[in-house]
């Protein structure tokens, strides 16, 4: 009985109302504002790189009339007008692009001036791993591409599972320290990147109790003595006081991330499965031969 | 705002009566700070192992187990704290003396914003991490030089002009740093961390690099301490007593800035220490500059080691946050309790 209801609920939610979005659509966005999207957006400005990627992945790349300066993927965005970035947006350029929808994150102050200018602003802000998927679905609904969004989420889930099947079977899972900046900051297991690190077949040395993006005492890293270090280069690691004798440094398992991977890893968007696969390859090259 | 109390000339000490216990007290304070700073931390190391680590480190034996943590991470961090705390406090005391202004601090002539700008440039342009302190040092000294050039009136350096030039240079350089940070957003945290001061990655090599700046700058200030005492009587009186006031002012400012710039380049901008410690030292040990500078160095060093211990064992995480959080209220209390 229970299983039956569960499957019913699942099938309803997934097959659900994957029909055309009914406008005007009213939703509560990630700035906790009640927003009404009057009609299907035809001219979209995206101020967040991962959102730009999602819009393109839903097949609406040609509706982007403006993106922030960090939106560099897919390649065709190079032709789209750059309108500053989230923190220093060029409001005049945004208004001049005559958008009917501007997509921001919850860290921008754009909603005030743009709303006053009569432009619809929606904040979509995936921060956790699960939100990457749920926000794609929300975005799909906003831009009337719900079917495509569901298909995208399904494909992403399938690709992630493919990598996970490999890493789960890995005979050993190295303890790992992942550095996101050299002062040093790392990532907790609950953070978006922390989830990817675990799925890629590593054991994060940072416990959940330290939070999502903790500043780490170098002592702690020495004590944990990880077998693998990611996000810095071998020379830097060896030069730090007391690090030359650590396992990862001695065995040459200190891996600086290629620039495209580190930008991809920090983008909670459609390329998440690719980022996971690349990360898993670095951690477990033997699984991908 | 209380005016600075006119300095009492250093009391001809009842030679031994007051000095020995005070010196012992200061020595004890440093010892306590070093022992706690070396013994406590994020990772628990039993006292026996700490002593063992120190012994093996000194005698050049191979380091085992947690020795690396004690000898290569904690101890250099503690020594760096002593050095930086001493440099900032001595410089602060010297600045307060040379400007006869109780609110003067080591960053008065733009050292802080100069080094922050240097660090920001290095971070945003993605230079190797080892270059950051060098860039910070060069820019800090450059900022001081610029301030001096701006303030110069012929061959004189009037205090008011120096202070105002320092303020202007500081603001302009801070604005430049901010503009750079906004351009290189993904690296902003690195810069922020620097501007809050952090002893995190200090190793023996860094200690060895900072030491000469602190030693030379601090040593010069001690040599100038007698002249600083005379300067408290006012420029005119000092001149009539044969003190080359302008040259002295320049020398003190440059020495203090060199010590501060060297310290700050490696650990970032640690606030309030240089402002407050000299006041405590003055209250506890009198206003004679030789005593004041020496006791400030000791108090500042020990204090910064303890502040760093608090930082790394709590959520405050960076020593600059601790000094500012504790220093601000403490300074207000000090002001209110000083009756004119």
């Amino acid at each position: 009985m229970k299983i039956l209801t569960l499957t019913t609920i699942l099938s309803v939610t997934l097959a659900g109302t994957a029909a055309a979005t009914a406008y005007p659509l009213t939703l509560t966005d990630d700035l906790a504002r009640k927003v009404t999207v009057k009609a299907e957006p035809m001219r979209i400005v995206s101020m967040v790189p991962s959102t730009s990627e999602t819009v393109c992945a839903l097949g609406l790349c040609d509706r982007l009339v403006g993106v922030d300066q960090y939106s560099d993927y897919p390649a065709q965005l190079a032709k789209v007008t750059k309108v500053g970035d989230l923190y220093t947006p060029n409001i005049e350029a945004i208004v001049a692009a005559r958008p009917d929808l501007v997509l921001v994150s919850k860290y921008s102050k754009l909603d005030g001036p743009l709303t006053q200018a009569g432009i619809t602003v929606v904040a979509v802000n995936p921060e956790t791993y699960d939100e990457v998927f749920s926000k794609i679905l929300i975005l799909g609904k906003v831009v009337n591409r719900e079917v495509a969004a569901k298909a995208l989420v399904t494909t992403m889930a399938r690709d992630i599972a493919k990598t996970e099947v490999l890493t789960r079977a890995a005979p050993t899972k190295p303890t790992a320290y992942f550095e996101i900046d050299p002062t040093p900051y790392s990532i907790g297991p609950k953070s978006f990147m922390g989830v990817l690190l675990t799925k890629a077949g590593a054991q994060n040395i940072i416990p959940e109790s330290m939070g999502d993006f903790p500043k780490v005492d170098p002592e702690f890293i020495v004590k944990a003595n990880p077998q693998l270090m990611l996000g810095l280069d071998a020379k830097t690691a060896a030069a730090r006081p007391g690090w030359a004798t650590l396992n990862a440094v001695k065995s040459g398992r200190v891996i600086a991330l290629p620039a495209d991977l580190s930008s991809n890893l920090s983008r909670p968007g459609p390329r998440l499965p690719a980022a996971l696969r690349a990360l898993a390859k670095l951690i477990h090259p033997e699984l991908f031969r | 705002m209380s005016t600075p109390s006119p300095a009492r000339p250093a009391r001809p000490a009842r030679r031994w009566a007051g000095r020995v216990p005070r010196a012992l007290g200061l020595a004890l304070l440093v010892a306590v700070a070093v022992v706690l700073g070396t013994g406590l931390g994020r990772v628990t190391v039993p006292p026996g192992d700490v002593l063992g680590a120190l012994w093996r480190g000194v005698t050049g034996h191979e380091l085992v187990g947690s020795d690396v943590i004690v000898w290569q991470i904690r101890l250099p961090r503690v020594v760096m704290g002593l050095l930086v705390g001493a440099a900032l406090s001595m410089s602060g005391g010297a600045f307060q003396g040379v400007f006869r202004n109780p609110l003067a601090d080591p960053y008065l002539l733009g050292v802080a914003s100069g080094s922050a700008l240097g660090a920001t440039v290095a971070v945003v342009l993605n230079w190797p991490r080892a270059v950051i302190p060098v860039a910070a040092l060069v820019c800090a000294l450059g900022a001081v030089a610029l301030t001096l050039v701006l303030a110069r009136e012929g061959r004189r350096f009037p205090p008011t002009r120096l202070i105002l030039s320092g303020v202007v240079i500081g603001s302009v350089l801070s604005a430049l740093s901010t503009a750079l940070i906004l351009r290189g957003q993904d690296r902003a945290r690195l810069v922020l961390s620097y501007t809050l001061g952090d002893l995190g990655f200090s190793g023996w090599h860094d200690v060895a690099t900072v030491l000469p700046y602190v030693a030379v700058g601090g040593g010069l200030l001690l040599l100038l301490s007698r002249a600083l005492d005379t300067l408290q009587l006012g420029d005119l009186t000092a001149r009539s007593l044969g003190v080359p006031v302008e040259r002295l002012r320049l020398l003190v400012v440059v020495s203090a800035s060199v010590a501060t710039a060297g310290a700050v380049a490696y650990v970032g901008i640690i606030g309030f220490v240089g402002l407050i410690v000299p006041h405590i030292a003055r209250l506890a040990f009198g206003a004679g500059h030789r005593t004041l500078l020496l006791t400030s160095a000791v108090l500042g060093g020990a204090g910064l080691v303890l502040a760093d211990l608090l930082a790394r064992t709590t959520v405050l995480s960076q020593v600059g946050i601790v000094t500012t959080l504790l220093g601000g209220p403490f300074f207000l209390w000090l002001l209110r309790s000083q009756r004119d």
Side-chain angles (χ1 to χ4, degrees), chain A residues 5-27:
Chain A
T5 30
L6 200 63
T7 30
T8 321
I9 291 171
L10 270 179
S11 54
V12 167
T13 38
L14 270 182
T17 47
T21 304
Y23 295 98
L25 166 74
T26 302
L27 73 153

Side-chain angles (χ1 to χ4, degrees), chain B residues 136-157:
Chain B
L137 185 68
V138 170
C139 276
L141 294 174
V144 175
L146 210 56
T147 303
L148 290 172
V149 169
L150 269 183
R152 207 169 65 109
E153 256 182 5
R155 299 185 56 179
R156 296 180 51 240
F157 293 94

Side-chain angles (χ1 to χ4, degrees), chain A residues 67-112:
Chain A
V67 290
D68 72 296
Q69 61 181 20
Y70 298 111
S71 289
D72 54 3
Y73 188 93
Q76 62 202 96
L77 290 181
K79 297 197 296 280
V80 179
T81 315
K82 301 291 180 285
V83 289
D85 64 50
L86 208 53
Y87 303 90
T88 45
N90 185 341
I91 296 190
E92 289 177 19
I94 296 173
V95 174
R98 292 180 296 110
D100 45 18
L101 173 69
V102 177
L103 297 164
V104 299
S105 86
K106 63 176 171 206
Y107 299 107
S108 89
K109 299 194 184 78
L110 278 171
D111 54 296

Side-chain angles (χ1 to χ4, degrees), chain B residues 7 10 93-94 96-98 221-222 224-230 232 282 286-294:
Chain B
Q96 286 166 11
V98 83
L221 290 177
L222 281 174
L224 298 168
S225 56
R226 187 56 54 83
L228 271 173
D229 284 339
T230 320
Q232 301 314 299
R282 216 172 277 119
H289 275 87
R290 190 153 164 273
T291 313
L292 174 73
L293 294 179
L294 280 172

Side-chain angles (χ1 to χ4, degrees), chain A residues 69-70 85 87-88 180-185 207 210 213 215 217-220 222-223 240-243 245, chain B residues 40-44 68-69 72-74 77 129 182-183 185 189-190 193 198 200-203 312 317-318:
Chain A
Q69 61 181 20
Y70 298 111
D85 64 50
Y87 303 90
T88 45
I180 50 172
D181 91 30
T183 51
Y185 275 83
M210 280 169 79
F213 298 101
K215 186 173 167 68
D217 190 327
E219 274 182 25
F220 176 86
V222 170
K223 174 80 182 175
R240 285 180 182 170
W243 282 31
T245 52
Chain B
L40 303 176
R42 169 91 211 180
V43 174
T44 313
V68 168
I69 291 176
Q72 300 226 22
I73 295 182
R74 262 185 220 169
R77 197 167 172 163
R129 202 156 155 70
L182 286 174
R183 292 262 62 85
Q185 224 137 64
R189 191 167 20 201
L190 203 59
S193 171
D198 187 12
F201 272 133
S202 309
R312 57 179 212 240
S317 84
Q318 290 201 194

